[in-house]
Amino acid sequence: MAKKITEPTRMAKERAFLVGVDIYNQQNWLTLEDSLEELSLLAETAGLKVVGEATQSLSHPNPDTFIGSGKLEEITALVTETQSDVVVFDEELSPRHQRELEKKFGDRVRVIDRTALILDIFAQHADTREGILQVELAQYEYRLPRLTRAWTHLARQAGGGGGRTGSVGGVGLRGPGETQLEVDRREIRRKISNLKKELEKVRSHRSRYRLQRKRSQIPTVALVGYTNAGKSTLLNYLSNSEVYVADQLFATLDPTTRRVKLSEKNYCLITDTVGFIQKLPTQLIAAFRATLEEINEADLLLHVVDITHPNAQSHWQSVQETLTLLKANEIPTITVLNKIDKLPEPEKATEMTRDYQDAVAISARTGVGVNELLNMVENILYFKMVPLQVKMPYQQGRLISLFHEQGIITQTVHQKGGVLIDGKIPSRYLSLFEPYFSKENTDSEEEL
């Protein structure tokens, strides 16, 4: 199926033609049509004007051009007719696919894939030094295997650095028999190495900051969810802050932490994290490791879902899949069904919570249902007890006292070099005792 879109535009933008492919037995949470609609939103977020689209169903990708030869001829004609500047594929293309497609479409038309498009959006939205470093690393790791003459001199690198004409990053000399392409590859590898070192410093800083938060004994909560689900709006409402909010994909990239009052005497720290999306590029997951560790270290996750979106269930499943990839799927989670104020019958929102485990329906914009959410958060963080057995060195007197004061001890055995304690502890303290687990603790949680 193919069609062209001819609506006029008032701004001179690059014209984009979208290509979606349905591959047999490939698991996607969105249908081909819905995924292509999401790709269109991504393209618009990146500053492109979508002028046409085409789809094809395949048992497996063509080894040379990804799509079939007949469909390629059809798309080539449409690209010419719509005067498209760029063709965007809704799958990650291999370097070979990208090279062959660029040959077919000609020098005037660029070929990019979903991954490159998302990376470009991240590059546009990265404001802090950490965000810029993370995006730049992801872009370089994506480009390295795809480097051709068209990519030389790093003209579009993140952060606006860019090498001088005839050089790469200011390097103008090359060894005997060494091509410009080889120089560029070596320079990119050097930049990747330096970026990883810089990000390791960021990771160490975040680790120290998280340790300080643990010592404060204030439990931590991470907001997760599909992009544009309303996480930042919820954080603003809960903390009376002004985190940047926009009705667009990936409006915020950098994590923001705020102190939130749960009741008269109990508080928590809530961190807003980067939004997820179907087919989230692996380069981004790797580059944003320091940021995503905020999720892994949290005592509780709030999985925010835009319940008004027609693909809400698919978005929820896609995020759950990503959490499993991050090994964060075992962390206690509350599903927050957001934007109920936009439903035709908001009073029926409670019925929707039955489709999810541990769910609550709210409006982060108006505050409806937020008190119930805070009660659930406080119950899990402060009143639910987790069974565990730890062997504590006698030098850890502070933690031993904490167990006696806040936990329920069923058995204490004094041994050489430490004390073996069996009992239950509020879940918010679990991470403090993790280094001293004497055996695999059960995952079950019991209500006190």
Side-chain angles (χ1 to χ4, degrees):
M1 182 183 71
K3 63 180 180 180
K4 62 178 181 178
I5 304 170
T6 57
E7 291 88 345
T9 179
R10 289 180 292 178
M11 296 182 64
K13 297 182 178 180
E14 281 193 300
R15 300 165 68 84
F17 193 93
L18 311 183
V19 180
V21 180
D22 185 16
I23 301 174
Y24 179 68
N25 273 343
Q26 177 176 289
Q27 184 185 43
N28 290 314
W29 295 117
L30 300 180
T31 65
L32 177 61
E33 291 74 18
D34 289 337
S35 186
L36 205 59
E37 182 179 344
E38 184 175 86
L39 185 68
S40 179
L41 290 174
L42 288 168
E44 291 171 6
T45 302
L48 300 173
K49 173 176 173 55
V50 177
V51 294
E53 63 181 45
T55 60
Q56 184 178 36
S57 296
L58 295 171
S59 58
H60 58 272
N62 183 293
D64 292 323
T65 56
F66 198 83
I67 54 177
S69 57
K71 179 60 69 172
L72 180 58
E73 289 182 9
E74 177 187 348
I75 293 174
T76 301
L78 285 168
V79 166
T80 300
E81 183 180 348
T82 57
Q83 298 181 328
S84 298
D85 305 296
V86 57
V87 177
V88 187
F89 278 74
D90 196 26
E91 300 287 338
E92 183 166 328
L93 299 172
S94 70
R96 179 181 180 181
H97 285 143
Q98 193 162 356
R99 286 193 299 268
E100 293 301 317
L101 286 166
E102 286 175 344
K103 289 179 184 177
K104 298 293 184 181
F105 287 119
D107 294 337
R108 194 187 67 80
V109 178
R110 291 186 296 118
V111 176
I112 64 173
D113 57 18
R114 183 185 180 95
T115 297
L117 188 62
I118 293 175
L119 290 176
D120 186 64
I121 294 170
F122 271 54
Q124 292 180 36
H125 290 184
D127 293 322
T128 67
R129 177 176 175 272
E130 178 185 354
I132 291 170
L133 286 173
Q134 290 173 133
V135 174
E136 192 170 353
L137 174 60
Q139 285 187 319
Y140 279 136
E141 290 189 325
Y142 171 80
R143 290 174 183 170
L144 183 58
R146 294 167 171 80
L147 198 63
T148 64
R149 292 177 61 87
W151 287 90
T152 57
H153 313 314
L154 312 183
R156 290 172 59 93
Q157 76 176 53
R164 299 194 302 266
T165 303
S167 66
V168 179
V171 179
L173 300 176
R174 38 180 197 258
E178 192 174 34
T179 66
Q180 181 66 53
L181 195 58
E182 288 167 338
V183 173
D184 289 352
R185 283 177 177 148
R186 189 177 70 244
E187 178 68 6
I188 285 184
R189 290 190 184 98
R190 183 187 67 80
K191 286 181 176 290
I192 287 174
S193 177
N194 290 338
L195 286 167
K196 285 183 176 179
K197 290 177 183 177
E198 289 296 310
L199 283 172
E200 193 58 38
K201 294 178 184 177
V202 172
R203 189 183 179 213
S204 298
H205 174 75
R206 281 198 173 277
S207 180
R208 290 193 297 271
Y209 181 61
R210 281 194 296 267
L211 184 59
Q212 290 176 355
R213 291 194 313 217
K214 286 181 180 180
R215 287 172 177 168
S216 71
Q217 298 181 11
I218 300 179
T220 58
V221 178
L223 293 171
V224 299
Y226 214 77
T227 180
N228 207 29
K231 301 185 301 300
S232 297
T233 303
L234 177 57
L235 182 61
N236 283 340
Y237 187 92
L238 294 175
S239 61
N240 294 317
S241 57
E242 295 183 359
V243 177
Y244 178 71
V245 174
D247 186 17
Q248 62 182 34
L249 305 183
F250 302 116
T252 53
L253 298 182
D254 299 299
T256 303
T257 301
R258 295 288 185 268
R259 193 168 187 253
V260 173
K261 184 176 182 180
L262 299 174
S263 63
E264 285 302 316
K265 62 178 181 178
N266 293 328
Y267 293 82
C268 71
L269 296 174
I270 298 185
T271 299
D272 185 14
T273 62
V274 63
F276 296 158
I277 198 169
Q278 183 185 228
K279 307 172 189 173
L280 190 67
T282 54
Q283 293 91 348
L284 278 178
I285 294 176
F288 276 68
R289 182 176 58 153
T291 300
L292 294 174
E293 281 178 354
E294 294 287 340
I295 297 174
N296 292 84
E297 296 292 331
D299 299 301
L300 174 68
L301 303 182
L302 298 185
H303 182 169
V304 183
V305 180
D306 177 1
I307 196 59
T308 66
H309 199 285
N311 294 311
Q313 184 69 28
S314 296
H315 288 176
W316 179 85
Q317 291 173 323
S318 180
V319 172
Q320 290 299 120
E321 187 179 74
T322 304
L323 291 174
T324 300
L325 182 64
L326 296 173
K327 298 180 180 179
N329 55 311
E330 295 299 325
I331 299 174
T333 302
I334 296 174
T335 300
V336 183
L337 306 183
N338 188 28
K339 304 186 183 182
I340 63 172
D341 55 300
K342 294 184 177 181
L343 292 173
E345 299 179 87
E347 63 277 4
K348 291 188 177 181
T350 304
E351 299 177 10
M352 299 180 180
T353 62
R354 298 170 188 169
D355 298 329
Y356 304 85
Q357 186 176 3
D358 297 323
V360 58
I362 72 158
S363 166
R365 189 178 66 85
T366 65
V368 173
V370 170
N371 285 338
E372 182 183 353
L373 170 62
L374 291 177
N375 289 336
M376 292 176 69
V377 170
E378 184 179 29
N379 181 56
I380 291 175
L381 293 178
Y382 283 88
F383 305 129
K384 276 195 173 181
M385 308 291 281
V386 180
L388 81 163
Q389 185 182 74
V390 290
K391 184 175 181 180
M392 306 287 297
Y394 290 116
Q395 295 91 332
Q396 291 294 332
R398 185 182 63 85
L399 281 181
I400 294 172
S401 297
L402 179 66
F403 205 140
H404 280 272
E405 293 168 3
Q406 303 292 334
I408 300 174
I409 295 178
T410 56
Q411 185 180 27
T412 301
V413 180
H414 291 275
Q415 300 175 337
K416 184 178 179 180
V419 57
L420 185 68
I421 303 178
D422 208 341
K424 299 176 183 177
I425 198 78
S427 60
R428 72 184 187 279
Y429 296 122
L430 191 61
S431 59
L432 294 174
F433 292 91
E434 190 171 351
Y436 308 106
F437 286 174
S438 62
K439 65 178 182 179
E440 184 177 351
N441 290 278
T442 62
D443 292 327
S444 62
E445 293 184 353
E446 298 177 9
E447 192 81 31
L448 183 62

